[in-house]
Each structure stands twice: as C-alpha cells, then as structure tokens.
Amino acid sequence: MARRRSAISYYEECALSLLTVRVVQAAHIPWADLMSHADCYVCLWLPTCTNKILKTKTVSDTSDPVWNETFQYTICNNVKNVLHLTLHDEDVITGNDLLYTLTYDVGRIRIGETKQKTFCLNPNGPEFLQVEFSLAEFQGCREKILTNGVIVAREMTCLDICVDKHRIPENLQGKLLILSLEDSCEEVCRMELSPCTGPNPIQACRFHYLKRWDPKFTAYVEGADNQAIQVIPVKLLHMGQEQKILLSTVPVYTNCWGFRCFLPLRWIQPRGSPAICNSKARRITSCWSPLILRKCRRPICSSKARPLEVKLKAKDCTDKLDVRMGFSLCDDEKLYLSKRRKVVAETLKRLLKLDRDLEDHEIPVIAVTTTGGGVRAMISLYGTLAGLKKLGLLDCVTYLTGASGSTWSMSKLYEDPDWSQKDLCAPIEDACRNVTKSKSGAFSFDRLAFYRDEINTRARMGYKTSFSDLWGLVLESMYCDNVNETKLSDQRKALANGQNPLPLCLAMNVKPNESSTLDYKEWCEFSPYEVGLLKYGAFIRSEDFGSEFFMGRRTRALPESRICYLQGLWSNVFSINLMDAWFSAVSSEHFWHRFTRDTIYELSEEEALRKRRMSAGLPTRVTQPASDFSRTIREILTNRPLDGEHHNFLKGLQMHKEYCTHNGFCAFDDTELDNSPNKLTPSSEELCLVDTAYYINASFPPLLREERKVDVLLAFDYGLTEKFRSVERTEEYCKVHDIRFPKIQVSDEEKANPKECYYFSGCGDPKCPTILHFPLVNDTFKQFKHPGVNRLTDQEKEEGLVDLGEKSSYGVLKLTYSKEDFDKLINLTEYNVENNEKVILQVLREAVECKQKRRDCISV
C-alpha cells in the first residue's frame, strides 16, 4: 500500500551499518573474442556511499574466474542503497568490454545476516556470478537525515581552504595551486598564486561533502619543479579547528640509495621556526650540501624554497536547507490564496446573484489552463483573457497556467501588477505591433553580437548556457520593444494583494542522449514563488533557479535570470530528438525502442514482486548491453543537440528507502529508470528542461496537485489538429497515477466537427474537478460577430472566415502574422468565451453548491 505523502519534511534518526561485499567467482563466461578466453574483472558502484568505482583484480584467460576479494561500505539504513555490479572483459587492443550489469537492493539484507547469492547472468545459459553479502550495525553510531519520504538530505560538512597572498613564496608566484577533494560537490578547485594587489589578501575556496563519507584531500602546485603532493584523509582533521599544511618544492636525496625524493611536509618549517628532528630526518641529506643533518634545531629551508602555507578548516554545514522538501504549498502561496479568496467570493456573489456572502469553505478554486502553439497560443490567450474580462469572470480565477507559446503573453501581462483590473486593449495592441512587424532585425549582425555577449557573460557568471538561452534572446528581440529586465520573482508584485490569478508555467525534465521523452519525463513547475520538480516534492525559490546546489544547500548563488531566458526554456521546440519526432509522426516507437534498448530481465520475478510489496525492495536486475551498433543508433535517436541545461538543484540528494511506495512519487509505468534510484534526477549533474509539447501539450499537472484543490478547470486548447488530444492524454496520465480526472468521452463525429465548449464532470466525485474544454474552432463565429449579433455585410462575413486547418497561416513555426490574421484570431477566441457565458456561470454555480453540500454532509 502506498504511504501517504508528507506535507512537509521531517527528521529521521537512522542507524549506520557496515556492508561487506565479497566477490567470489563467476563461471561459464563466454569468449569475448576468437583468440582467447575472457580476462574478467568486476566493478562495484554504490553511489550512496562513495562516488568511486571499486574494482577487483583481472583474472586472465579463463571462463571461470575466481576473485575472493572483499569490499566494505558504510551505509545509511534509511537510504535506498542499490549496488551495481558490472562484469567486464579486459582488452588492451580494442578496449574493455562490458558484459553484464547487475543491480542488487542492499535493503534485502538484514542486520547480522550473511547471504551468499548466485546470480544467473543469462536466462538461456549457464553463466553466473557468485557474491557474498553481510551486514553489521555500527553500535552507537547514528545519522540524522531530513526527508519528505521520497528524497533524503544527509548531514554535510564544509571544508574551507585559504591562502594568504602575502605569504606566497616567490618561486611559486604565477603558478596554479590545485586542490581536490574526492567525493565532494566541487571535486577540484584551482587557485592562481598571484601576489596581493587588492584590499583582500586572503584567497579562499570551499568544498562540500557528506559528513559520513571519508574523502581524501589533495593539494599540489601545478608546474612547480620537484613539487610535493599533500594527501590528507579528512577524518584526521579536527572539526572546527583551523589547521595548516605546508607545500614545499625542496628536493632531497637519501644517503643510502641516491634516489631523489621529496621532503615530507612535517619536516619542513617556515623561516625562523625549529626543524623537527627524528630518526628519519637525521638520515636525510640536502641536495645542495653533503652534510648530514645533525641533532640540532637549525631550519633546513632557504628563502628561495620557503614552503607555501595552506590553511584548512572543516565544520558542519547548517541543518537549514535551501531546498524545500515536501508536497505542501509554500507559505507565500497559502498567504496569496487567503487574499485571493476574498476577491473570488465577492465576484461570485455578484455574478451568481447570491443572497449572502460565501464562507471560505464554499469558495471554489477556479483555474484557467492553456496549451502551447507558438505565436498562435500567445495571441489566443490574449483573446481568451479579454473574453473572461468582458464577462467579469477574470476575478473568479485563482490559477492561470501556461505552456510553450502561451507563457509569452503571461510573462508580458505580469509586468503590470494590476493587469487584470485594467482593460486589455493596451497589451493586445502592443502584441499586435510586435507580431506584425518584420523579424529580420532580430537576426541582424548587431543583434547576433548582442546575443553572443549576453551568453558569454552568463557563462562567466557560472550559468550553464545552451541553445534555449539563445532562443530566449531571439524571442525577446522579436516580441519586445526593448531589453526586458523583469524576472520571474518580480511577478510577486502582481500577487501582493491577491489582485491577479497566480501564474504557473510548465516544462519537462528529460534524460538527454539516453532516453526518449516517452521513456523518461518529469514535470517542472515555475511560479513567482518557487520552482519545483513535482515528482520529488522538491522546490527552491524562483530567484535561486540557475544557482548551484548540493545536498539541499545552495553552494554558489548566481543572479536571477531575466524572464526571456525562461521563455526560451518553456518554449524550446527545437530540443526535440529523432525518437520524439518519430513518435509524433506515427504515434509508435516500438520498433526503434526494441531495436536500441539493452536487454533487461528480473531474477526470480515472483519472489521479487512479493518482496517489493512487503519491504519496498527493488527487483534484482541483469542487463545485457546492446551491441555497439545499437548503442550508436540509440545515441543518434535520443540526442538533443539543442536542449536546455541548467544546474540541478537536487544534486547530491538521495532516495529514501521506501520512495517507490510513496504516493507523492509519480512513477510512469513505462519508465524503467524509476526502479533505478542511482540514475534518477538527484544523481544528475544538470537538468535538461524541454517544452511540454513532446508529451502532453497542456499545462494541467500543476493544477492536479491535491494540495491546490482545484474545483473547476477552464481548459483552452489552441491546437490546430486533434482538438481533444490534450485532455485525452491528461486523462491517460491521471489513470496511471491514480489522480482524479473526469472521463473524456467524445464521439468521432464531434471530433470531426467540434463545438466551442465541452463539459466533462467527475460523476458525483466531489474531489474530481469539472472541466470546460474549449477547442480552437470556428463554429458560430462565422455567423455572429458578437453573441446574438449576426454578420450582415460582406466585410463582416469575411472577418468571420478564420482558417484553422493544418495548412492555415497560424502554423506553429509562423513567427509573423498579418494585421488581418491577428485580429481574426483575437476576435475568435474572445467570442468563443463570450458565447458560452451561460455554460460557464452554470458550472460555477454547481461548484458553489457542491462545496456547500459537502460542508453540510461533514457537519451531519
């Protein structure tokens, strides 16, 4: 049974255990080539304990290698620990071959148990791998973790390193100090050892790593003659105390053998300090003098070889996270909702002619959701909002969601904090001027140079730059008069008093160069308050999007991006791969899917399913890699040459041991990676965010979160074909994830000749939203210029002829419209809303009555 989602994150005290893995042997491994038996070795990867891949020795020229090698890991018991074992054939000439990959859920082993497993590597052959597992608890050693039931933030340590520029030796000035800390977020830091020229003489950097891990710190000066390399296990550092290490390039020779070696750092002291004398020091002979050091306290460092002093200080990082973990709404949104309810209540009382004020529990949550469609969607949303404004319905709307092109108009509108309280003629006229103007200026040499400078500046600041940044700048040039300095967080001004609907924009996170969109996709929601990945219940402040994070903490703050860069992300139709294009054309990817995938099968399937129900254990899987040719084809088909990469704010976080059973974790049935926690988004270096059109060209998912409790959805589909595809595919998505959504039933005749509005109800389920679906059609608009007002003149009849066919002038790649086409589309979408006023008001009335009845039932 699925566990209830956590509204907020909570702390857990969990035990640490010692996992011992003994790789015993393999048998009947086939020949890798025609010349000899396989030369086998095994690699072990457990990323919840270390990023390092451990390796056995290579056993040469045998099909039955025996290793008997033991490896140990310190594991956190409340984390999903899945060990990857890979069997390789070593080949010096052609490169090592990956033969099999095996994944084993360590959670299947009980404390104090030793279990020897013989894994079948081929269901049709005798090949097997034998491994022994044992688990022992560390007595009295526990770790405090923060989790929402899906992802886990563990305790983290910061290692601060600084160098005093005034104390840099002359012979090292201008060189690079290379600092590295394995298993850390930063991994490597490079400091240029330049003399002090400014007011700050201290040069510093910081590493972040897991407190329970045991990485090694390495420091050396690149390019220095006879450089000394300092390696220190961080567990030897005293927490909270500043300690020094000395890097020297003094070469010395041993008296006995004559080999050159480096003087150990603890024997080198700064000028004026006594040298440490011990038995080893007495046997060292200076390379410049034949004298052997005597038992004296004379310094052995000359001024030319003064060592470099590096200061280290390790300290615990704060428990406060910069990533909000949980599936509840943020406090800012809750405050907004309390203010917006008052506006909605007053409007509904007036429109529905109610005889009393609505109480809080009687106020329905009404949302407007739109689809993408490039410039067509941008214009259509203006018309839709103008129609709602004329009917007085805009103040009833709590949420406004957009995808792709519809986000362009949303971004422009929210520059004005009071846009919904004003007439929309001014923003529509502004949009008309920019849509109808020539776009050649956006591609002039001056603009191209501007784009280059902007992107280079972002790269220097630390952003990951991609084609979506360029596309956003182009959109800004085409549809804005000037450089737009507004940011997503600036839209909070438009929500301060609950005066406008809360805007929500949507993108999808996918796996580049690895999977098609159907194989892997995750919803990413953008609001003026937060950006979040819904699947993991993880959110950051909107101004922090683009900054660097590790284990839930912000490690490097970057300035918030201008809104145009987000527009390029939300509507990057160029990030498609060939697999997506194939599916879009024929709605089937089975041929390419099967041809390019690795062969994956579960061992002891019935037992695995039983254990999964009992202990949330993942099935043991063996993967036989596809052929080199198939892998090449897959890379070609899934490559996204024009994708949008961004720093991953989930980086470093780990999966909870029971994440699979949590009802907040929305796993797709066809997504194999959901059963591979080591390959999910927290293990990725970056996010790859693309247009939602590659899966569902709609913006429903943010409104289907049960915490938002949406009662009525006014869904506007701006597609030219398949007028019901957005709601039908959303219904399929909701069935898979057990989300309440009305049943979409439309006859073939209606699909061929759709009307302006369709009503889909939840069939008596009070928690299921009611949907009014508005496809983009030209139905009664051909006869009426306004509801109930016939078209009489030839000009009026001409204005009613709006071609919405596949080859119309409103194609998704059309960037410039004529004034006539613009006006026709605005008037059509505005009319389609006005002409269905009675239906909308009736649905709102039913929603209020439903809320009142539910309250009465609860009271009884």
Side-chain angles (χ1 to χ4, degrees):
M1 181 180 293
R3 296 182 300 120
R4 183 172 178 78
R5 68 171 66 195
S6 306
I8 57 175
S9 56
Y10 54 93
Y11 284 101
E12 286 184 353
E13 287 285 341
C14 56
L16 298 179
S17 299
L18 180 65
L19 171 68
T20 302
V21 182
R22 185 166 69 95
V23 182
V24 183
Q25 63 178 339
H28 309 296
I29 304 302
W31 288 28
D33 51 53
L34 299 177
M35 302 300 294
S36 66
H37 291 282
D39 304 319
C40 293
Y41 65 91
V42 175
C43 288
L44 300 89
W45 180 50
L46 186 55
T48 52
C49 300
T50 176
N51 293 327
K52 291 181 290 188
I53 296 178
L54 307 183
K55 176 182 175 295
T56 68
K57 63 185 178 183
T58 300
V59 179
S60 301
D61 197 22
T62 178
S63 296
D64 303 304
V66 177
W67 294 281
N68 277 321
E69 291 191 48
T70 300
F71 304 88
Q72 290 187 326
Y73 299 94
T74 301
I75 67 172
C76 175
N77 292 348
N78 287 26
V79 168
K80 178 60 76 173
N81 297 291
V82 176
L83 177 66
H84 288 242
L85 296 161
T86 54
L87 182 63
H88 301 257
D89 172 40
E90 189 174 86
D91 197 318
V92 178
I93 299 176
T94 61
N96 299 344
D97 295 316
L98 173 60
L99 304 180
Y100 303 97
T101 297
L102 185 145
T103 59
Y104 183 73
D105 187 350
V106 176
R108 297 180 180 280
I109 309 169
R110 295 189 296 270
I111 300 294
E113 179 183 22
T114 297
K115 182 184 292 186
Q116 190 168 90
K117 300 286 294 183
T118 300
F119 299 107
C120 174
L121 300 177
N122 186 347
N124 301 315
E127 302 96 312
F128 70 82
L129 175 67
Q130 192 175 80
V131 184
E132 183 182 89
F133 302 93
S134 62
L135 198 63
E137 184 176 357
F138 280 120
Q139 295 294 330
C141 188
R142 304 183 69 83
E143 181 177 5
K144 183 175 69 172
I145 64 172
L146 185 65
T147 181
N148 61 2
V150 174
I151 52 177
V152 170
R154 299 179 63 181
E155 294 176 330
M156 197 168 75
T157 302
C158 303
L159 180 63
D160 291 325
I161 301 159
C162 63
V163 173
D164 188 342
K165 295 182 180 180
H166 290 311
R167 300 181 63 85
I168 298 176
E170 294 181 4
N171 64 315
L172 297 183
Q173 290 184 6
K175 300 186 182 300
L176 284 178
L177 174 61
I178 309 299
L179 309 168
S180 64
L181 183 65
E182 62 185 14
D183 286 338
S184 68
C185 169
E186 294 78 7
E187 294 184 352
V188 177
C189 177
R190 293 173 171 83
M191 284 187 184
E192 184 176 353
L193 299 175
S194 54
C196 182
T197 57
N200 185 12
I202 303 300
Q203 200 167 0
C205 69
R206 171 176 286 185
F207 290 95
H208 299 81
Y209 62 96
L210 266 67
K211 183 177 181 178
R212 298 299 177 181
W213 289 9
D214 182 26
K216 292 181 180 179
F217 173 75
T218 304
Y220 69 94
V221 179
E222 186 177 63
D225 296 332
N226 305 321
Q227 59 189 356
I229 300 178
Q230 177 74 35
V231 181
I232 301 176
V234 295
K235 68 180 180 181
L236 299 181
L237 300 176
H238 298 290
M239 195 65 64
Q241 296 182 10
E242 186 175 83
Q243 297 167 79
K244 300 177 183 178
I245 63 171
L246 303 176
L247 288 179
S248 174
T249 59
V250 180
V252 296
Y253 292 88
T254 62
N255 193 32
C256 300
W257 303 99
F259 293 112
R260 191 175 75 170
C261 66
F262 298 117
L263 189 63
L265 298 177
R266 62 179 179 274
W267 299 339
I268 301 176
Q269 300 297 317
R271 174 183 293 274
S273 61
I276 298 177
C277 297
N278 54 32
S279 58
K280 291 185 178 180
R282 290 195 296 270
R283 292 196 299 268
I284 295 179
T285 305
S286 169
C287 64
W288 294 294
S289 172
L291 291 176
I292 298 177
L293 293 179
R294 301 181 181 276
K295 294 182 180 179
C296 64
R297 291 187 169 275
R298 258 170 111 180
I300 61 174
C301 298
S302 68
S303 59
K304 294 183 179 180
R306 182 162 54 89
L308 175 67
E309 183 178 276
V310 180
K311 297 179 181 179
L312 290 79
K313 185 177 182 180
K315 60 182 181 180
D316 290 337
C317 292
T318 175
D319 287 340
K320 187 178 184 302
L321 300 188
D322 298 300
V323 174
R324 185 177 70 86
M325 293 165 49
F327 294 88
S328 63
L329 303 180
C330 68
D331 292 339
D332 288 330
E333 184 171 341
K334 292 176 183 177
L335 179 61
Y336 160 80
L337 291 174
S338 67
K339 296 177 180 179
R340 186 62 178 175
R341 272 194 294 268
K342 299 176 182 178
V343 178
V344 173
E346 293 175 2
T347 307
L348 287 175
K349 180 183 179 182
R350 174 172 46 83
L351 290 176
L352 302 180
K353 298 180 174 56
L354 303 177
D355 56 1
R356 66 174 178 85
D357 293 339
L358 293 174
E359 298 182 25
D360 279 358
H361 66 269
E362 298 174 327
I363 304 171
V365 178
I366 303 159
V368 169
T369 177
T370 62
T371 68
V375 180
R376 178 183 67 249
M378 179 182 74
I379 298 171
S380 297
L381 180 54
Y382 277 120
T384 295
L385 296 175
L388 293 172
K389 177 68 177 176
K390 284 188 177 181
L391 297 179
L393 292 168
L394 198 50
D395 284 338
C396 297
V397 177
T398 300
Y399 292 103
L400 172 61
T401 66
S404 195
S406 58
T407 65
W408 305 349
S409 46
M410 290 171 60
S411 301
K412 185 64 178 177
L413 287 170
Y414 280 87
E415 292 179 20
D416 184 350
D418 299 304
W419 70 267
S420 67
Q421 310 305 311
K422 301 176 181 178
D423 189 279
L424 295 183
C425 290
I428 289 175
E429 289 176 0
D430 180 72
C432 180
R433 184 179 67 257
N434 284 295
V435 167
T436 57
K437 73 181 181 183
S438 172
K439 304 300 183 295
S440 59
F443 303 98
S444 65
F445 287 114
D446 290 342
R447 295 308 296 174
L448 293 177
F450 170 74
Y451 303 155
R452 179 198 60 199
D453 294 342
E454 280 277 298
I455 292 176
N456 288 340
T457 300
R458 283 177 63 80
R460 287 194 296 270
M461 292 168 62
Y463 282 102
K464 287 184 174 293
T465 57
S466 62
F467 176 81
S468 65
D469 294 333
L470 175 60
W471 175 234
L473 291 169
V474 172
L475 289 175
E476 181 184 61
S477 295
M478 291 192 294
Y479 300 114
C480 293
D481 296 325
N482 301 298
V483 173
N484 186 355
E485 296 292 344
T486 61
K487 303 174 178 64
L488 182 59
S489 62
D490 293 337
Q491 296 180 0
R492 295 171 187 168
K493 299 174 186 176
L495 309 173
N497 300 310
Q499 69 269 39
N500 298 297
L502 174 62
L504 299 170
C505 297
L506 194 64
M508 279 195 312
N509 181 46
V510 297
K511 290 284 185 182
N513 306 327
E514 207 171 302
S515 306
S516 70
T517 303
L518 288 189
D519 272 336
Y520 192 85
K521 60 271 182 181
E522 299 168 343
W523 301 116
C524 187
E525 169 190 299
F526 292 78
S527 85
Y529 301 126
E530 290 187 319
V531 177
L533 285 166
L534 306 185
K535 178 175 180 175
Y536 303 96
F539 303 85
I540 57 172
R541 299 184 309 161
S542 57
E543 56 263 44
D544 288 338
F545 180 72
S547 294
E548 296 183 32
F549 287 79
F550 182 72
M551 196 53 72
R553 286 87 168 178
R554 189 182 61 186
T555 58
R556 184 183 182 187
L558 298 179
E560 185 178 1
S561 296
R562 296 192 292 115
I563 195 71
C564 71
Y565 293 108
L566 297 182
Q567 291 175 336
L569 180 162
W570 296 329
S571 58
N572 185 5
V573 295
F574 305 102
S575 59
I576 195 170
N577 61 31
L578 294 179
M579 191 80 85
D580 293 333
W582 172 271
F583 178 81
S584 178
V586 301
S587 296
S588 174
E589 63 170 11
H590 293 306
F591 171 72
W592 295 110
H593 207 240
R594 294 174 181 175
F595 180 67
T596 59
R597 266 189 172 179
D598 299 332
T599 301
I600 302 175
Y601 58 91
E602 295 182 2
L603 302 181
S604 303
E605 184 174 357
E606 292 182 0
E607 178 187 0
L609 292 175
R610 178 179 61 82
K611 288 186 176 180
R612 191 188 311 182
R613 288 193 297 269
M614 295 175 59
S615 62
L618 294 178
T620 302
R621 288 184 168 185
V622 171
T623 302
Q624 291 179 318
S627 65
D628 291 340
F629 177 72
S630 295
R631 286 199 297 270
T632 301
I633 294 296
R634 178 171 57 193
E635 291 174 0
I636 294 173
L637 293 177
T638 59
N639 181 45
R640 299 179 186 273
L642 302 177
D643 59 12
E645 294 182 352
H646 305 269
H647 290 298
N648 180 13
F649 57 86
L650 294 190
K651 181 180 177 182
L653 294 171
Q654 298 178 359
M655 305 303 296
H656 193 272
K657 65 178 181 180
E658 297 179 354
Y659 79 94
C660 284
T661 64
H662 199 285
N663 65 359
F665 183 76
C666 295
F668 288 85
D669 282 354
D670 57 351
T671 301
E672 292 178 354
L673 286 180
D674 285 331
N675 285 324
S676 302
N678 298 339
K679 295 184 179 181
L680 290 175
T681 299
S683 65
S684 301
E685 283 291 322
E686 63 271 326
L687 301 176
C688 181
L689 298 174
V690 301
D691 196 320
T692 61
Y694 300 128
Y695 177 55
I696 300 176
N697 185 25
S699 52
F700 284 103
L703 303 174
L704 299 177
R705 291 174 59 185
E706 65 179 52
E707 295 80 13
R708 291 207 164 106
K709 303 176 182 178
V710 175
D711 299 291
V712 178
L713 282 165
L714 304 180
F716 295 89
D717 191 326
Y718 301 136
L720 293 178
T721 61
E722 298 183 274
K723 309 291 185 178
F724 300 92
R725 184 177 184 182
S726 61
V727 287
E728 288 176 336
R729 298 208 68 177
T730 303
E731 182 193 10
E732 296 172 3
Y733 165 81
C734 290
K735 281 182 179 178
V736 171
H737 299 97
D738 196 24
I739 298 173
R740 290 180 170 89
F741 197 81
K743 189 172 182 59
I744 308 299
Q745 291 182 319
V746 185
S747 65
D748 292 339
E749 182 180 350
E750 288 178 316
K751 289 184 178 180
N753 299 288
K755 299 181 298 184
E756 295 164 352
C757 181
Y758 288 84
Y759 172 79
F760 303 110
S761 71
C763 300
D765 184 350
K767 294 186 178 181
C768 182
T770 297
I771 294 180
L772 282 181
H773 181 67
F774 294 81
L776 184 60
V777 296
N778 185 5
D779 187 15
T780 61
F781 183 69
K782 290 179 288 190
Q783 182 180 353
F784 301 98
K785 61 180 180 181
H786 299 292
V789 182
N790 283 295
R791 297 186 182 276
L792 301 176
T793 66
D794 292 341
Q795 181 179 352
E796 290 175 346
K797 293 178 180 178
E798 173 63 26
E799 290 172 353
L801 300 177
V802 185
D803 181 13
L804 297 175
E806 293 185 43
K807 298 183 179 180
S808 72
S809 55
Y810 299 109
V812 71
L813 298 180
K814 184 83 170 179
L815 300 177
T816 305
Y817 286 9
S818 66
K819 179 68 164 57
E820 180 184 3
D821 288 337
F822 181 94
D823 291 340
K824 283 183 177 182
L825 190 56
I826 282 283
N827 294 333
L828 170 66
T829 50
E830 183 178 337
Y831 169 87
N832 283 352
V833 173
E834 292 183 83
N835 197 45
N836 290 277
E837 178 184 12
K838 292 182 180 179
V839 178
I840 298 174
L841 291 177
Q842 180 59 33
V843 168
L844 298 186
R845 187 180 300 278
E846 291 176 358
V848 172
E849 293 173 354
C850 180
K851 302 279 281 188
Q852 292 172 337
K853 289 179 181 178
R854 193 194 313 178
R855 180 68 175 185
D856 294 340
C857 292
I858 294 175
S859 299
V860 172

